[in-house]
Amino acid sequence: MEHENIINYIKENNIPKVKFAFADIDGVMRGKVISTKKFLEGLKTGYGFCDVVFGWDSNDVCYDNVQLTGWHTGYPDRLCYIDLSTFRNVPWQDDIPFFLADYSGPHGNTVPADPRSLLKKIVAECKAMGYHAEFAQEFEWFNFKETPQTLQDKGFANMTPLTPGMFGYSILRTSQNSGFYYDLFNLLTKFNIPIEGLHTETGPGVYEAAIEHCDALAAADKAALLKTAVKEIASMHGITATFMAKWNQNLPGCSGHIHQSLWDEGQTENLFYDGTEANKMSELHKQYLAGQLYCMPHLLPMYAPTINSYKRLVEGAWAPTTITWGVDNRTTALRVINTAINYTRLETRIPGSDTNPYLAIAAALASGLYGIKNKLKLDVAPTVGNGYENKSNGSLHANLFDAATAMQKSSVAKELFGEEFVEHFTQTRIWEHRQYAKSVSDWELKRYFEVI
């Protein structure tokens, strides 16, 4: 729908209010419901929003180590701008009009830490190089017969999963919860998050959804919205959905794999495919993959942003631990899929479902383009067999602190995303480590309380 038609639609239908939101540094949606009058008045001038949304963590605790905002700035308003092209109605909320916003206004990006604005910049660079980037992110998550209140009352222990046992790709389990299952598929699609596939994964109450691929920015929008939408739809059924990367040490983690390919500007030719080359990979594809391999240790927190992310990145857990690639190999960090011309793509397998899609997709695209710009040679051989055992090209950082401090010092990260973003983002990750470091875990209590 054209921008003018969107405005006319809202006016002509006497719609009294609209809803808008943007993703903070953790990918958490922050937003408001505003009157139609305020919506129309702010389309060009922007909407004031307290910049504490980039000055606190996912639990609304203010950072003490960032310069962007804080007590030293007085937490002023910053202007965000609604992107009319993101218009959709929320089918489970009386079809209220919904829009995404970011901090890219008429004077450029006003908040260097804004994830959507950062991705827009990388997408613009991609287009300037003559490429169209197609992306899709897929998610796994666990569902529980719990509410926010019961979780608090139970202290997040002894939670009841939606279904028992390990039953991947189960037709039976989804039929037993068909109301929730089909609401997910149907309502997400109506919300302009078209689902390519939805099924159970192995684990009690775990689902996986694959979103149809589209251009990189829209793909990130849909991925970010899916996480919130799933939680809202689940809540309607008395269910709580979690996108933690690893909620239980004895169960599989939850992935957020990213699929990607580059096409010509007319979107008629997949530039990653060359049937005459080994593994059907074009030279462009090889350079793109080489860029991701090279940049991976510099950008790891953008793929694995939480303390919990690294509990998933362990050997034998269907998540990578080494800087490797392979053809249709699910033990490597990067997986080449080349079954057909139009479906030839690269899958980045590091991200879990706890990622901020804007940052994870920005990291994947920017590092791939880095390989193309610098004509990097793919001199790392594809891994055949167990990727966990192939440490010849190095291993991923094992925890958030090491990954964040490496990125903070990285000239590559600063070249790709700018010093202001890198400093703010890495400081928020170091803050996250500090909060964890001073906590006392159940593991410590069980191990030391009586015996030591």
Side-chain angles (χ1 to χ4, degrees):
M1 190 182 292
E2 296 293 331
H3 291 182
E4 185 176 338
N5 292 338
I6 294 170
I7 295 170
N8 289 338
Y9 162 79
I10 290 174
K11 287 179 178 179
E12 292 169 3
N13 287 278
N14 295 315
I15 294 173
K17 60 186 182 295
V18 305
K19 191 175 188 179
F20 79 96
F22 56 87
D24 68 10
I25 201 72
D26 287 292
V28 177
M29 284 291 163
R30 309 280 185 172
K32 298 179 181 179
V33 170
I34 58 175
S35 68
T36 298
K37 179 175 181 292
K38 184 174 180 68
F39 164 73
L40 295 172
E41 289 174 349
L43 284 176
K44 291 184 179 179
T45 59
Y47 309 86
F49 222 107
C50 178
D51 73 359
V52 73
V53 292
F54 290 104
W56 61 21
D57 63 18
S58 57
N59 280 248
D60 291 7
V61 179
C62 294
Y63 300 123
D64 63 10
N65 60 342
V66 300
Q67 293 301 310
L68 176 66
T69 188
W71 302 116
H72 60 286
T73 67
Y75 292 113
D77 277 358
R78 304 273 187 131
L79 292 175
C80 65
Y81 296 84
I82 283 175
D83 185 342
L84 288 175
S85 70
T86 65
F87 167 67
R88 64 245 292 151
N89 296 105
V90 186
W92 60 91
Q93 292 178 3
D94 298 325
D95 281 329
I96 185 173
F98 178 88
F99 300 88
L100 283 166
D102 57 52
Y103 286 80
S104 299
H107 305 294
N109 180 13
T110 61
V111 179
D114 175 36
R116 192 172 191 268
S117 296
L118 184 77
L119 179 56
K120 286 168 74 172
K121 175 177 175 290
I122 304 302
V123 170
E125 291 175 2
C126 182
K127 290 181 179 178
M129 293 172 67
Y131 308 123
H132 169 84
E134 283 282 303
F135 272 73
Q137 191 166 10
E138 58 185 6
F139 289 105
E140 297 167 349
W141 71 92
F142 279 81
N143 301 288
F144 295 89
K145 294 179 180 178
E146 303 288 351
T147 68
Q149 189 60 55
T150 64
L151 290 173
Q152 292 290 335
D153 293 343
K154 291 182 173 184
F156 294 88
N158 301 314
M159 296 175 287
T160 304
L162 179 61
T163 54
M166 313 290 274
F167 207 162
Y169 301 102
S170 170
I171 298 298
L172 175 61
R173 287 289 184 252
T174 53
S175 296
Q176 290 168 341
N177 293 279
S178 59
F180 174 49
Y181 183 66
Y182 291 116
D183 264 0
L184 282 174
F185 192 98
N186 297 332
L187 294 176
L188 286 170
T189 300
K190 286 181 181 178
F191 192 47
N192 193 23
I193 305 177
I195 299 301
E196 190 176 79
L198 178 66
H199 62 88
T200 67
E201 256 294 353
T202 185
V206 61
Y207 284 179
E208 178 176 356
I211 308 171
E212 289 184 7
H213 63 86
C214 57
D215 71 89
L217 181 61
D221 287 340
K222 291 171 183 177
L225 285 174
L226 178 137
K227 294 170 74 171
T228 296
V230 164
K231 292 176 183 179
E232 292 186 3
I233 295 167
S235 181
M236 292 162 43
H237 291 268
I239 295 166
T240 292
T242 180
F243 286 81
M244 280 185 68
K246 183 92 167 179
W247 84 270
N248 186 300
Q249 68 182 39
N250 299 315
L251 294 171
C254 291
S255 69
H257 301 152
I258 296 172
H259 296 254
Q260 66 229 258
S261 56
L262 294 183
W263 295 63
D264 66 311
E265 291 180 286
Q267 302 174 45
T268 59
E269 181 184 359
N270 185 349
L271 301 178
F272 274 9
Y273 180 84
D274 186 340
T276 67
E277 288 292 314
N279 300 318
K280 302 176 185 177
M281 296 170 64
S282 68
E283 185 62 26
L284 190 80
H285 192 174
K286 295 174 186 175
Q287 292 174 351
Y288 185 98
L289 194 154
Q292 284 209 8
L293 287 172
Y294 178 79
C295 295
M296 199 177 291
H298 299 271
L299 309 177
L300 186 57
M302 296 176 77
Y303 295 129
T306 73
I307 294 292
N308 186 249
S309 302
Y310 298 82
K311 306 295 175 71
R312 170 181 162 269
L313 299 174
V314 294
E315 292 187 8
W318 298 98
T321 59
T322 55
I323 304 173
T324 48
W325 74 280
V327 178
D328 200 14
N329 190 331
R330 286 183 168 87
T331 68
T332 56
L334 302 174
R335 172 183 171 226
V336 171
I337 302 168
N338 59 5
T339 52
I341 295 176
N342 288 342
Y343 293 101
T344 295
R345 62 195 186 275
L346 181 65
E347 179 188 37
T348 304
R349 293 181 56 81
I350 302 169
S353 59
D354 59 345
T355 50
N356 179 334
Y358 295 107
L359 298 186
I361 289 176
L365 180 56
S367 56
L369 294 177
Y370 180 91
I372 294 171
K373 290 174 188 175
N374 292 281
K375 294 182 169 57
L376 296 185
K377 293 293 183 183
L378 184 56
D379 51 11
V380 177
T383 297
V384 178
N386 192 343
Y388 298 117
E389 296 177 349
N390 183 5
K391 300 177 182 178
S392 60
N393 194 46
S395 298
L396 301 176
H397 295 293
N399 60 71
L400 180 59
F401 180 76
D402 289 347
T405 52
M407 182 176 177
Q408 186 179 43
K409 298 172 184 176
S410 170
S411 59
V412 172
K414 293 170 186 175
E415 177 184 344
L416 294 179
F417 303 115
E419 289 191 20
E420 286 183 292
F421 169 79
V422 171
E423 179 61 19
H424 181 85
F425 177 63
T426 55
Q427 286 289 11
T428 68
R429 299 310 95 188
I430 291 169
W431 161 275
E432 199 76 8
H433 163 77
R434 284 168 51 203
Q435 307 319 296
Y436 173 69
K438 65 186 182 184
S439 68
V440 178
S441 68
D442 288 347
W443 183 89
E444 292 168 282
L445 288 173
K446 293 173 182 177
R447 191 170 185 87
Y448 303 126
F449 190 90
E450 180 187 7
V451 177
I452 295 298

